[in-house]
Amino acid sequence: MNELSRRAPYGKRFEDYLEAMYRLQRKGKVVRVRDLARILKVKPPSVIEQLRKLSQHGFILYEKGEYIRLTEEGEKIAKEILKKHEALRRFLRDILMVPEEIADKDACYMEHGLHEITLSRIEKFLEFIDKHFKLKGKMVFLERLKYYYEHEELPEECIAQKPHSREESI
């Protein structure tokens, strides 16, 4: 359970709002009700209702007619949410080779429900792939994986290279 879920029973919706606000702030843009309504595909009155709740929990500074700002605590949680989203999107796009638009949509869906251990393992997997294949040829691995996804069989060069021992196959 993430930090936000422990504090408030609102979960996914709150996280979506915090992430959207953080993305806007990171781009140097001011956060307005109409921007959030457009991004989150909801009506302005729904945005205002959620903003009041977020403000009551101390995650944002919000006054009617003013720009919306994340508090230090709200920004901390939003950064965490965005980090999860980016790791999941990268895993889906770069490793599973899901098209970008689908990877982004699925990452948004998954970021709210995955257990922290699962998410941590995905992040560690990506880190391992980067470090290990920096020396061993990451692109060759990904090209072979793509071939396997598309043809449902190993590429010839994988079949020709039979490992001599268990350690070599890892």
Side-chain angles (χ1 to χ4, degrees):
M1 185 182 285
N2 65 36
E3 189 171 330
L4 182 59
S5 299
R6 283 191 296 259
R7 291 186 175 187
Y10 306 105
K12 180 187 179 327
R13 207 70 199 137
F14 263 32
E15 290 182 359
D16 287 342
Y17 275 82
L18 292 173
E19 182 181 0
M21 286 183 259
Y22 182 69
R23 285 176 184 263
L24 286 169
Q25 283 184 343
R26 218 171 73 163
K27 290 179 182 175
K29 297 182 178 179
V30 295
V31 180
R32 297 179 292 215
V33 170
R34 68 175 177 234
D35 298 326
L36 291 173
R38 181 181 44 79
I39 292 167
L40 297 168
K41 297 178 174 97
V42 296
K43 304 245 184 249
S46 297
V47 172
I48 292 167
E49 181 182 334
Q50 287 296 333
L51 292 177
R52 285 187 183 129
K53 290 176 184 177
L54 285 163
S55 181
Q56 288 170 354
H57 282 80
F59 298 128
I60 65 166
L61 300 172
Y62 168 68
E63 292 289 329
K64 186 177 179 178
E66 299 290 323
Y67 296 132
I68 305 151
R69 289 189 337 221
L70 291 167
T71 62
E72 192 174 311
E73 185 66 17
E75 187 171 324
K76 178 181 162 194
I77 293 167
K79 282 180 182 178
E80 197 177 293
I81 295 163
L82 187 60
K83 181 181 172 203
K84 287 182 197 180
H85 183 96
E86 289 174 348
L88 289 166
R89 184 184 62 218
R90 183 172 165 234
F91 177 76
L92 294 167
R93 184 193 63 216
D94 296 352
I95 304 301
L96 299 184
M97 298 179 195
V98 173
E100 178 79 33
E101 186 176 305
I102 295 170
D104 193 53
K105 194 176 277 187
D106 285 351
C108 188
Y109 178 77
M110 293 168 64
E111 74 193 29
H112 306 292
L114 284 180
H115 192 281
E116 289 300 315
I117 291 172
T118 305
L119 195 59
S120 174
R121 292 290 169 93
I122 289 171
E123 290 171 339
K124 290 289 184 201
F125 176 77
L126 291 169
E127 188 178 303
F128 175 82
I129 291 288
D130 287 342
K131 288 179 179 179
H132 178 73
F133 288 112
K134 186 178 267 187
L135 303 172
K136 302 253 183 185
K138 181 176 168 185
M139 292 312 298
V140 171
F141 168 77
L142 291 175
E143 287 169 10
R144 290 175 180 173
L145 181 60
K146 182 177 181 184
Y147 181 91
Y148 185 76
Y149 287 151
E150 292 171 354
H151 298 91
E152 297 184 15
E153 64 182 26
L154 293 173
E156 273 303 311
E157 55 272 19
C158 291
I159 297 168
Q161 297 177 354
K162 295 191 179 186
H164 298 292
S165 69
R166 178 168 156 51
E167 287 77 32
E168 289 180 42
S169 65
I170 296 177

